[in-house]
Amino acid sequence: MSGKTLYDKLWEDHVVYTEDDGSSLIYIDCHLIHEVTSPQAFEGLRLASRKPWRQSRNLAVADHNVPTTDRDKGIADPVSRLQVETLDKNCTEFGITEFGMADARQGIVHVVGPEQGVTLPGMTIVCGDSHTSTHGASGALAFGIGTSEVEHVLATQCLVQKKAKNLLIKVNGQVGKGVTAKDIVLAIIGKIGTAGGNGYTIEFAGEAIRALSMEGRMTICNMAIEAGARAGLVAVDDVTIDYYRNRPYSPKGNDWFMAERLWQQLYSDADAVFDKVMQLDAALIKPQVTWGTSPELVVAVDETVPDPALEPDAVKRQGMMRALEYMGLQAGQAITDITLDKVFIGSCTNSRIEDLRAAAVVVEGKKVAANIKQALVVPGSGLVKRQAEDEGLDKLFVDAGFEWREPGCSMCLAMNADRLEEGERCASTSNRNFEGRQGYGGRTHLVSPAMAAAAAIAGHFVDVSSLEGAAV
Amino acid sequence: MKAFTKITSLIVPLDRANVDTDAIIPKQFLKSIRRAGFGPYLFDEWRYLDQGEPDMDCTNRPLNKDFVLNKPEYQGAEILLARENFGCGSSREHAPWALEDFGFRAIIAPSFADIFYNNCFKNGLLPIILAAELVDGLFNEISAGYKLTVDLETQKIVTPDGREMGFDIDGNRKYRLLNGLDDIALSLLYADKIKAYEAERAKRAPWLFVD
């Protein structure tokens, strides 16, 4: 019998019951809740007179609608305010822990979870948010769900699921200077497409993945969903264990030693069989920039905007042409000739301390270019913000002309006041470049934090790997 | 949940790949705390020429006449024909809510994004995966008054000239959709099994059970 993949192990460990047709009731260890996808679920519980199965397995935090300035003044938009107040009320009524807007631990749900040790290796983790895949970085099975499933998890602590297939993506060798986790994952998506991972759980492995910090691994798994996979995984190693030691909600005392032993088993066996395997050479990956309205429309910074005429597939060609029109770009244009209006450093993809450090190094002692109307840094959580301030990073950003904001999802999806105006072009460290994502008619280019920082200084894209002394 | 058995309806061809949930229902409408009323804002940025806001009255908004949903020949259609990877992006269930509220009961595409596909079944909406060649054929075939029959029981699509195309669907999902069953009530039938699992798991991972 062949060995088991990490996904096989996590799945088997959580099966409560399997039907004849293979659909299983899966136990959920941790449920994260935010204000956008939960109100209708709580309402459903109320209408059916149901209670949460285990209150303690839920953690709520408002992140999508929260303002990133003048926190003490509350939320100006009445519709956003009602949604956040509804979360507060529901958490009180159903006895669920919430980090409120004034709590230093508040932040983007996918930054807060690992930071607090609420999401741990070996768990099943769900949230009404597709970027829940982030938590797979710790060797946990984590995926996004819809609101009906949010209600289902609240009521039963379980979900009805069918097992996905196993996809292994090995990134061999080492990345070059200036190439980050974001570039690795964008290169992967460029290769397999946004539907490439449909029906799979992706395990990311290989030397280049092992060399990443937990933050970098979270960036990779965060964007597994952009490759179509609900869940991404990285096997547990010393980096994982060290990260979770002494987190507020991590196991303590004897429990810690027991957990450590269990977590050390969370890897794919050497003889495990994957349904599909893909290999990449890390040394060939350059800093990436998306040029279209889907994350798969991506090229290296030293390339040009592709020509749809060279695409043989009619549906794809049409898609490329529509993307070029929306983005206001010409085929053949050099990526480094694209000038920008705004820069956004933040989101559940790239708002952790390591991301802010990487950007700060690039902007230190320099000034944001005159054509940049706004450059935002939005830390992922109140604690990331505090740490960055302790390290003096906020000063480096502010001195360079960036705005230093309060934590939240912010301009990644523009549900709060932070957004692009029609036609504005943005270098963004977020995860989606869909039409209208960062604001009606806004144009998004996805990049790494260092690339976004360098673009803010130059006013256009530049190859960060060519910058003098960019220690990224 | 509304049950799905069999429908015969007009079909709207939406000829784009990778239609994402931000396009299906833009983020500003996600601020609602209700489950109904998203239909008027379905495909808002493509359907209207102005910028939509929550609770906006859509009756007098300027329509994008080129957008397929606005064409007179497709009014009242309950079936949407789409391309690869329909519903990619965010997990927002507001996307199937908006499609359902607008009047769609079934979507046919060569592939769907996983979370969206899953969310459809919670809302009486049937996503049908059909081979790309067959989907291509339908795109070419649709003309004014073209109606398809979708029969979930027999797992068949029938064209106006009587051609049949079979489709696959998971047995459990089919049963729940045919009968309009509440997933939570069904899962709670296994309450004893869930408790037994918890008791056993608590021995292996006690730190997850310090309530």
Side-chain angles (χ1 to χ4, degrees), chain A residues 13 23 27 54 148 162 436, chain B residues 27 93 172 198 204 208:
Chain A
D13 202 30
S23 57
Y27 194 78
R54 275 180 77 196
S148 294
K162 259 201 160 167
Chain B
K27 86 290 257 142
E93 198 164 318
N172 195 356
E198 286 177 328
R204 287 185 289 133
L208 298 176

Side-chain angles (χ1 to χ4, degrees), chain A residues 13 21 23 27 29 40 53-54 56 77 83 147-149 152 162 199 413 415 432 435-437, chain B residues 16 22 27 30-31 34-35 46 89 93 112 114 118 170 172 187 197-198 201 204 208-209 211:
Chain A
D13 202 30
D21 74 339
S23 57
Y27 194 78
D29 295 320
Q40 298 87 350
W53 183 273
R54 275 180 77 196
S56 67
D77 174 2
Q83 195 165 56
T147 300
S148 294
E149 290 185 318
H152 195 283
K162 259 201 160 167
L413 86 168
M415 273 188 83
R432 287 185 179 136
E435 288 182 23
R437 171 81 180 182
Chain B
R16 298 183 183 204
D22 274 88
K27 86 290 257 142
L30 273 51
K31 294 180 184 183
R34 295 176 304 137
R35 200 173 183 125
W46 293 345
E93 198 164 318
F112 292 90
D114 288 346
N118 202 41
D170 170 279
N172 195 356
S187 292
Y197 172 88
E198 286 177 328
R201 184 87 189 287
R204 287 185 289 133
L208 298 176
F209 292 86
D211 283 4

Side-chain angles (χ1 to χ4, degrees), chain B residues 86-99:
Chain B
F86 187 84
C88 61
S90 135
S91 64
R92 59 188 71 165
E93 198 164 318
H94 310 68
W97 292 342
L99 287 158

Side-chain angles (χ1 to χ4, degrees), chain A residues 90-271:
Chain A
N90 283 329
C91 289
T92 306
E93 181 183 338
F94 290 96
I96 286 168
T97 304
E98 183 195 8
F99 295 164
M101 244 172 59
D103 195 312
R105 298 169 295 180
Q106 183 271 339
I108 307 172
V109 68
H110 307 308
V111 175
V112 172
E115 183 174 82
Q116 290 294 312
V118 167
T119 59
L120 295 168
M123 278 182 163
T124 40
I125 301 157
V126 295
C127 173
D129 191 286
S130 59
H131 291 112
T132 309
S133 59
T134 309
H135 309 275
S138 64
L141 178 57
F143 53 90
I145 55 177
T147 300
S148 294
E149 290 185 318
V150 169
E151 185 182 339
H152 195 283
V153 172
L154 281 165
T156 69
Q157 207 57 46
C158 290
L159 276 179
V160 180
Q161 294 280 304
K162 259 201 160 167
K163 200 178 169 202
K165 290 180 284 183
N166 281 291
L167 167 59
L168 176 68
I169 297 185
K170 271 188 93 172
V171 189
N172 302 312
Q174 296 170 3
V175 292
K177 182 186 156 210
V179 177
T180 67
K182 182 66 164 286
D183 303 298
I184 296 176
V185 74
L186 282 172
I188 290 170
I189 296 165
K191 197 159 176 165
I192 70 171
T194 51
N198 277 7
Y200 290 95
T201 291
I202 303 178
E203 180 175 344
F204 298 96
E207 190 187 346
I209 302 293
R210 294 259 72 88
L212 294 171
S213 65
M214 277 304 291
E215 284 88 348
R217 296 174 188 187
M218 287 184 215
T219 301
I220 301 263
C221 290
N222 173 276
M223 290 191 74
I225 184 66
E226 259 50 73
R230 285 179 84 165
L233 289 171
V234 175
V236 169
D237 59 12
D238 290 346
V239 174
T240 326
I241 307 270
D242 288 345
Y243 178 89
Y244 283 102
R245 212 183 296 279
N246 301 321
R247 298 272 161 189
Y249 285 81
S250 286
K252 303 281 181 301
N254 251 350
D255 277 355
W256 171 261
F257 294 109
M258 204 171 163
E260 204 179 333
R261 269 204 308 279
L262 208 71
W263 295 346
Q264 277 159 351
Q265 309 303 313
L266 296 174
Y267 55 83
S268 289
D269 297 331
D271 56 345

